[in-house]
Amino acid sequence: MGKRFEVVYQREKRYWFMYLFLHLIDKVSLQDPVPVSGVVGGSVILPCSYKERKLKTEEINVFWRYKQKTIVYDIENGSPLTENQDAMFKGRIEGFPSEHADGNFSLRLSDLRLTDEGQFSCFILNVKKEHKLTLLVRAMPTTVSTPKSTVNARSSSMRAQPEGVATFLLLIWRFVFCTISE
């Protein structure tokens, strides 16, 4: 009876951890995409792609907008158009026309400003797909001398960081499979 109880207990423990692991993965995958972050004066890539099928040149009509209405960049029939681009983005946006045929409509935004922070939308007209992302811009960090005793090497908000979640999930995964193989 004792040996059988131990086997059942170990099996239940494995199921519990597998359930917890899958539940956590499900919650993580349902979260909004991680925002794009940049530093004032730097540059970022604003991602937008369509890989479900290869679009014909005449189907490549993509419209980038900032806060739903400001024109960032347009692609019509596979060609970039910037004459209606808002002055806020003139000379700071770079597309990748050679990658349009492969479904990559990402942009590089350079010379970042604090006023660039906000929501960007990439609308692919012919397939009715919209990608939204949030750009976060922070000021250039300043170096401040602090005594080493007051510096905390790990942030207390690590739980909210993607790296912290990934590390936690990896540890759970290893625990579950190490337990199963025993």
Side-chain angles (χ1 to χ4, degrees):
M1 178 89 173
K3 176 96 170 138
R4 177 157 166 66
F5 175 77
E6 182 64 29
V7 169
V8 170
Y9 173 75
Q10 289 298 326
R11 187 180 312 140
E12 290 298 321
K13 191 165 87 170
R14 279 180 264 169
Y15 290 138
W16 169 252
F17 284 109
M18 187 59 82
Y19 168 78
L20 177 64
F21 178 74
L22 291 173
H23 184 69
L24 287 170
I25 288 176
D26 182 48
K27 294 297 180 205
V28 170
S29 66
L30 291 177
Q31 291 178 354
D32 292 333
V34 175
V36 175
S37 298
V39 177
V40 170
S43 67
V44 293
I45 298 292
L46 304 174
C48 178
S49 63
Y50 181 75
K51 304 291 184 188
E52 292 176 30
R53 68 176 176 86
K54 194 163 181 108
L55 298 174
K56 298 175 189 166
T57 302
E58 62 271 11
E59 292 180 297
I60 300 176
N61 295 297
V62 180
F63 305 101
W64 274 94
R65 298 295 179 264
Y66 172 68
K67 296 185 179 177
Q68 297 293 340
K69 60 184 180 199
T70 304
I71 298 173
V72 177
Y73 190 83
D74 289 340
I75 304 166
E76 290 187 20
N77 297 321
S79 297
L81 296 174
T82 56
E83 55 264 5
N84 293 327
Q85 185 178 51
D86 192 272
M88 174 180 180
F89 296 106
K90 287 273 187 203
R92 300 191 308 129
I93 292 288
E94 177 189 355
F96 306 99
S98 63
E99 296 183 29
H100 292 170
D102 294 326
N104 182 3
F105 311 114
S106 301
L107 300 177
R108 178 186 320 277
L109 174 57
S110 57
D111 189 24
L112 285 174
R113 305 168 185 166
L114 290 173
T115 55
D116 293 332
E117 189 165 282
Q119 187 179 65
F120 286 79
S121 301
C122 169
F123 186 72
I124 307 168
L125 185 65
N126 290 51
V127 294
K128 295 177 177 64
K129 292 281 183 181
E130 184 175 17
H131 301 277
K132 292 182 178 185
L133 62 101
T134 301
L135 174 62
L136 303 175
V137 181
R138 56 184 161 68
M140 188 67 111
T142 58
T143 54
V144 176
S145 179
T146 58
K148 289 189 178 202
S149 62
T150 62
V151 175
N152 185 355
R154 295 188 84 115
S155 169
S156 63
S157 65
M158 182 181 161
R159 293 182 304 273
Q161 302 300 319
E163 299 84 11
V165 172
T167 303
F168 175 74
L169 291 175
L170 181 62
L171 289 172
I172 292 293
W173 181 260
R174 284 186 180 165
F175 178 80
V176 168
F177 280 102
C178 288
T179 305
I180 289 172
S181 63
E182 289 179 352

